[in-house]
Amino acid sequence: MAMPGAISPAPVSVVVPCYRCKASIRSAIASVHSQTLPAAEVILVDDGSGDGTLEILEELASAYAPGWIRVIALGMNCGPSRARNRGWEASTQPYLAFLDADDSWHPRKLELQFAAIRADPTIALLGHRADIRQVDTAPAPLLLPGSLRFVGLPELLLRNPFPTPSVLLRRDLPFRFDEGRRRVEDYLLWAQIVLTGHRAAVLDLALAHLHKPAFGSAGLSGDIEAMYQAGREVRNQLAAAGLLTPVQAKVAHAIAALKHARRRVILQYCRYRAPRPSGVDREPLR
């Protein structure tokens, strides 16, 4: 296969942290390759998988146009923050986009994001909506042109408006993912960018597809108790850095507690409704 050549590529490096992703990485990269506005380069960072993932990444690099995919191997598993930072350091383009190895992009993601960037080059961080769907399910038709809204403190106190596979940001921003965190590290970075005065926006279009539930799944995000605690620590970290006032931090904590309680109820209900083997009683809702 060859990299699309009819259109000049977007000045973007796509960074993909890879950990034991042999079953999904080909689909993820295919979604990058199928962009109507192709990316200049893709950087795959093997995060110490140790299960043959690195060999699959090398095969992918040789299957596409020479130099389009670069593979970086970390000697040990360090978590997604370190993997993304390593890709950031190795990137050559003025913009970065992030994709997880088990997610994918709508074919027009980069085209539509760069149209917004060209219209307003002051945007430093640009995201969009993401939906949850099966890998082989066709995306719903886009309702174009899609509105653009700017993100500030009030929205950040309510939620994380930037799913990681949606993010396009300037490479020269003076921030990185916190390598001491394996949860909520993405929200911490977006908040640091927004709360230090950089312009951030969200396109109201679902241009990324997540192939796992947002919470209640087997991955890191599936541990809602750990995610809740990590979110609290991150808000405290932002307050300690002077990016949130004590009152703002308290408001954010209260909102997060309400959302956490709602998620626990939903998760308990889903477990209660799930089919049980014959002869096994349902556990009572707690």
Side-chain angles (χ1 to χ4, degrees), residues 22-96:
K22 293 187 292 185
S24 62
I25 187 60
R26 289 185 176 87
S27 176
I29 298 308
S31 77
V32 179
H33 183 259
S34 67
Q35 292 295 300
T36 54
L37 177 63
E41 66 176 357
V42 178
I43 302 173
L44 306 180
V45 185
D46 179 60
D47 189 20
S49 298
D51 68 338
T53 291
L54 180 57
E55 288 74 15
I56 298 297
L57 302 186
E58 296 288 0
E59 289 178 14
L60 277 170
S62 64
Y64 290 91
W68 186 58
I69 293 179
R70 287 189 287 143
V71 177
I72 297 172
L74 302 183
M76 58 184 295
N77 178 246
C78 301
S81 290
R82 174 58 181 149
R84 292 188 186 113
N85 285 345
R86 184 66 185 87
W88 194 325
E89 294 162 6
S91 63
T92 64
Q93 301 299 308
Y95 287 92
L96 292 175

Side-chain angles (χ1 to χ4, degrees), residues 15 43 83-92 96 98 169-177 189-190 193:
V15 176
I43 302 173
R84 292 188 186 113
N85 285 345
R86 184 66 185 87
W88 194 325
E89 294 162 6
S91 63
T92 64
L96 292 175
F98 300 100
L169 55 73
R170 287 208 324 257
R171 182 183 184 274
D172 63 355
L173 290 170
F175 305 100
R176 295 295 183 269
F177 292 95
L189 177 59
W190 319 147
I193 293 171

Side-chain angles (χ1 to χ4, degrees), residues 112 126-130 142-149 159 201-207:
L112 294 170
L126 178 61
H128 50 68
R129 291 191 292 110
L142 296 174
L143 298 178
L144 297 174
S147 60
L148 182 76
R149 74 174 187 277
R159 64 192 188 94
V202 171
L203 270 173
D204 188 25
L205 294 169
L207 301 176

